[in-house]
Amino acid sequence: RATSNHKVKETVALELSYVNSNLQLLKEELEELNSSVDVYQNDSESISVPMIPLGLKETKELDLLVPLKDLISEHYGEEGVLFEKEIKEFMELRQAMRTPSRNEAGLELLMEYYNQLYFLDSRFFSPTKNLGVFFHWYDSLTGVPSHQRALAFEKGSVLFNIGALHTQIGARQDRASLPGLNQAIDAFQKAAGAFNYLKENFSNAPSLDMSAASLNMLVRLMVAQVQECVFEKMTLLRAQHDFLTRLQLAREAARVEDVYSLVHQTMTQAHVKDYVPFSWTTMVHVKSEHFKALSHYFAAIALCDCPAASDAELPEQEKAFIQFHVTMPEGPSLRILLQDPEERRKLGKAHLKKAIMKHEEAMRIHGLCKILRKMDILQEVLSFAHKRSLSKYSEIDHEEDFFETGDAPDIHPKTHQKPEIKSPNFSQVKVTDLFHRLGPLSVFSAKNKWYPARRVHLMRGENGFGFTLRGDSPVLIAGVIPGGCAAEAGLKEGDYIISVNGKDCKWSKHAEVVQLLKSTGEEGVEISVITL
């Protein structure tokens, strides 16, 4: 717009398009780095479908030494220099929290820092005046930087990392064993809880990964991963191959397909679509098709590999089968179907036909994504399931079959273990207020204001010092006797005693202060008080 020279315009346009294509490439590379699914998978020999973990949000270093020292001098009337040790300790904790280890100890570190922020908030962040520092955090998926002065952004980002760390711990478990599966379930449920807590308690976050739409998607994704682990747990536990167990497995797989379909819908919504990595959306879509195929496969196996129902078994099998399909299959009555091997084979064949179609669809979608194509494990799982269904089909397919294989109805989803969303339990990591020397928070907080401390010299009169005390930490002057020593010295009802003869009494109990006052001699006593 600044020039009318066409040649210059063309050159600039060309340069801009070059820069733009470079940016696009960079963005794709970044996406691959930040949304990498491989990194946190376990190293065991057995084949498990990979789970989706989240990368942690990163943050810049923060120097709080000067702002906190200034505030301590200004607001608390103490010498800021005397609190350098505490400020440095807090900054070291923040520094450590930037790179937590991927285990329980890392989670504890994040929790400890999160809890410490409660004290920092109460001590130094007043509703009327900010500290003048910015908290810088990077988006966990795109790496886009954001900053805010509000401590809520720091708290929310730490909470996000608690959830993300749970996802990495969950993805690393060896899900071929029962303990590994239980730990994965626990980790993904806690991740869902952290993201849900963040969604409900922190709004207006400046970065996309913490928007309500993204968090809603992440909660659903974690719930789906829990549901997948529940299915794996069932295949591990139910080793017996009877009819009812296989029906249960089919319904359990249908439930997994159900929750992944919901995640896929959520990922393709307007506010989330352009933000979520393509590899995630594809993976979720692949899983929903894969588990739909498995539900039809187990239905076919139940019908074809288990002997026809005897008269004794019939009532129980009928009951299970009535609720099995979304719509009843066409053809003979239930009773005949369950007792006639040929009818069972026909319906089993229809289920297998559908399973094979869905396996092929899962493999087709998988092939569309460059990042997923590099993942051998997923490829192996999909092609193993596909071959298994194909060989079963050729085994039950008879040359003389002249009937048109019907369309098998879908399977009614049902799970024996509903995923829980486990909210973070902040009280499990106990912390002490690093700045407790400033005094009890009930009085010495950022939101309270008090006049500068007054020093008063009192001599004991006939009626003692002429005031009464109540309460603990800090002790309060409850009443001042008119004409007494305390009244003359200007002490007022409601003043807090913060020191007696130079001894700090902010945390002292009532009895301790009384004892200090009693033990003074002829020379009297010097006390410091503040008035809110």
Side-chain angles (χ1 to χ4, degrees):
R1 280 160 59 186
T3 176
S4 54
N5 184 331
H6 282 297
K7 207 163 177 68
V8 173
K9 276 190 173 181
E10 275 176 22
T11 315
V12 172
L14 195 66
E15 294 229 352
L16 272 178
S17 72
Y18 175 68
V19 169
N20 215 358
S21 68
N22 268 357
L23 271 176
Q24 279 308 108
L25 283 173
L26 201 61
K27 188 172 173 244
E28 280 174 26
E29 282 175 24
L30 257 179
E31 248 185 22
E32 285 196 31
L33 282 177
N34 272 350
S35 60
S36 171
V37 176
D38 295 13
V39 190
Y40 307 111
Q41 306 304 329
N42 70 64
D43 311 322
S44 95
E45 288 303 302
S46 62
I47 297 178
S48 297
V49 184
M51 293 289 185
I52 296 179
L54 261 94
L56 299 184
K57 286 174 80 67
E58 300 202 354
T59 177
K60 279 188 181 175
E61 268 186 52
L62 186 64
D63 191 352
L64 288 168
L65 196 59
V66 177
L68 289 187
K69 275 184 2 188
D70 289 352
L71 200 122
I72 288 170
S73 312
E74 207 178 294
H75 185 76
Y76 290 92
E78 305 263 2
E79 293 220 18
V81 182
L82 300 177
F83 286 86
E84 273 188 9
K85 181 173 157 286
E86 284 94 334
I87 299 172
K88 282 181 176 155
E89 199 175 323
F90 178 81
M91 281 162 59
E92 279 166 17
L93 178 62
R94 188 181 191 274
Q95 188 61 13
M97 167 286 304
R98 292 173 67 195
T99 50
S101 53
R102 307 303 203 246
N103 53 21
E104 281 301 319
L107 286 168
E108 275 192 19
L109 179 65
L110 287 169
M111 284 276 204
E112 182 187 349
Y113 180 70
Y114 184 89
N115 287 344
Q116 204 55 256
L117 288 175
Y118 161 78
F119 291 115
L120 194 80
D121 196 8
S122 312
R123 294 279 187 203
F124 303 114
F125 285 78
S126 84
T128 51
K129 186 172 182 288
N130 63 51
L131 202 53
V133 292
F134 281 103
F135 299 101
H136 292 262
W137 286 85
Y138 297 90
D139 188 293
S140 90
L141 284 179
T142 58
V144 172
S146 308
H147 62 270
Q148 256 191 4
R149 282 197 171 125
L151 192 68
F153 182 40
E154 177 91 347
K155 276 185 177 169
S157 300
V158 175
L159 191 53
F160 184 95
N161 277 358
I162 289 173
L165 199 51
H166 277 303
T167 70
Q168 294 179 12
I169 291 170
R172 282 177 65 174
Q173 299 306 320
D174 174 10
R175 303 199 317 277
S177 70
L178 204 54
L181 270 172
N182 286 329
Q183 279 168 324
I185 288 173
D186 185 55
F188 291 130
Q189 289 186 148
K190 285 178 174 166
F195 297 134
N196 199 46
Y197 186 88
L198 188 55
K199 186 182 80 175
E200 288 173 359
N201 294 285
F202 295 86
S203 49
N204 308 328
S207 70
L208 263 176
D209 51 2
M210 286 158 68
S211 68
S214 297
L215 291 169
N216 186 40
M217 177 272 293
L218 289 174
V219 172
R220 285 178 174 176
L221 173 61
M222 293 311 133
V223 167
Q225 300 197 138
V226 173
Q227 199 72 67
E228 185 178 345
C229 293
V230 169
F231 170 79
E232 292 176 331
K233 188 172 163 183
M234 194 169 166
T235 50
L236 211 60
L237 287 173
R238 309 280 161 93
Q240 68 272 42
H241 297 311
D242 60 288
F243 182 70
L244 294 175
T245 301
R246 281 169 167 167
L247 291 190
Q248 263 187 311
L249 273 174
R251 296 188 71 177
E252 199 72 60
R255 178 74 191 131
V256 183
E257 182 255 330
D258 222 23
V259 286
Y260 271 120
S261 292
L262 180 65
V263 179
H264 187 246
Q265 272 173 27
T266 317
M267 283 183 172
T268 47
Q269 278 171 358
H271 295 297
V272 191
K273 195 172 86 186
D274 300 330
Y275 171 68
V276 176
F278 181 57
S279 57
W280 285 19
T281 316
T282 311
M283 170 91 101
V284 164
H285 197 180
V286 165
K287 284 190 178 189
S288 77
E289 297 292 342
H290 173 65
F291 281 98
K292 188 166 192 126
L294 289 186
S295 71
H296 284 286
Y297 169 77
F298 283 111
I301 293 288
L303 288 161
C304 302
D305 283 13
C306 301
S310 65
D311 291 339
E313 293 167 331
L314 195 61
E316 197 186 357
Q317 290 198 8
E318 253 187 306
K319 193 178 157 205
F321 214 69
I322 282 175
Q323 302 160 341
F324 184 68
H325 289 103
V326 176
T327 52
M328 282 308 282
E330 291 166 8
S333 70
L334 260 188
R335 183 155 291 218
I336 296 170
L337 171 68
L338 289 171
Q339 290 194 305
D340 179 351
E342 184 52 24
E343 286 299 337
R344 287 173 73 126
R345 185 180 73 86
K346 271 189 190 173
L347 181 57
K349 195 173 167 186
H351 275 298
L352 272 177
K353 184 178 155 191
K354 205 157 191 181
I356 291 164
M357 277 164 54
K358 288 292 163 188
H359 284 308
E360 284 165 0
E361 182 59 5
M363 289 161 82
R364 185 190 70 79
I365 298 163
H366 172 266
L368 297 176
C369 177
K370 184 176 86 193
I371 299 173
L372 291 194
R373 282 202 304 272
K374 293 181 193 163
M375 289 188 70
D376 306 336
I377 313 174
L378 192 55
Q379 186 85 46
E380 272 179 65
V381 173
L382 297 176
S383 86
F384 167 77
H386 180 230
K387 283 176 187 151
R388 184 175 64 176
S389 293
L390 279 175
S391 78
K392 192 77 216 161
Y393 190 84
S394 59
E395 183 188 312
I396 65 162
D397 186 27
H398 294 174
E399 275 179 20
E400 61 275 12
D401 276 356
F402 291 116
F403 62 85
E404 181 69 38
T405 305
D407 188 26
D410 279 336
I411 288 129
H412 214 13
K414 187 185 180 191
T415 180
H416 75 290
Q417 184 183 339
K418 275 195 76 166
E420 267 179 83
I421 293 178
K422 289 189 175 177
S423 286
N425 176 13
F426 299 112
S427 60
Q428 73 186 36
V429 179
K430 299 276 178 277
V431 298
T432 52
D433 175 9
L434 284 175
F435 296 93
H436 83 277
R437 282 199 299 137
L438 289 171
L441 263 176
S442 55
V443 175
F444 301 94
S445 69
K447 66 175 193 286
N448 285 336
K449 290 200 169 72
W450 52 89
Y451 296 102
R454 312 194 304 284
R455 273 218 179 115
V456 178
H457 193 83
L458 298 178
M459 302 297 284
R460 194 194 295 275
E462 289 169 19
N463 305 331
F465 291 113
F467 58 68
T468 54
L469 303 176
R470 71 178 158 84
D472 289 328
S473 328
V475 173
L476 181 77
I477 295 177
V480 177
I481 298 160
C485 171
E488 277 172 26
L491 290 183
K492 293 198 251 337
E493 187 181 320
D495 283 351
Y496 288 102
I497 295 178
I498 58 170
S499 77
V500 175
N501 282 337
K503 183 185 185 310
D504 192 308
C505 292
K506 292 193 198 90
W507 286 98
S508 301
K509 298 269 183 268
H510 184 274
E512 292 166 8
V513 174
V514 171
Q515 194 50 48
L516 283 171
L517 292 169
K518 275 185 177 170
S519 61
T520 53
E522 307 273 300
E523 71 285 356
V525 64
E526 190 163 276
I527 66 171
S528 287
V529 294
I530 58 158
T531 311
L532 279 185

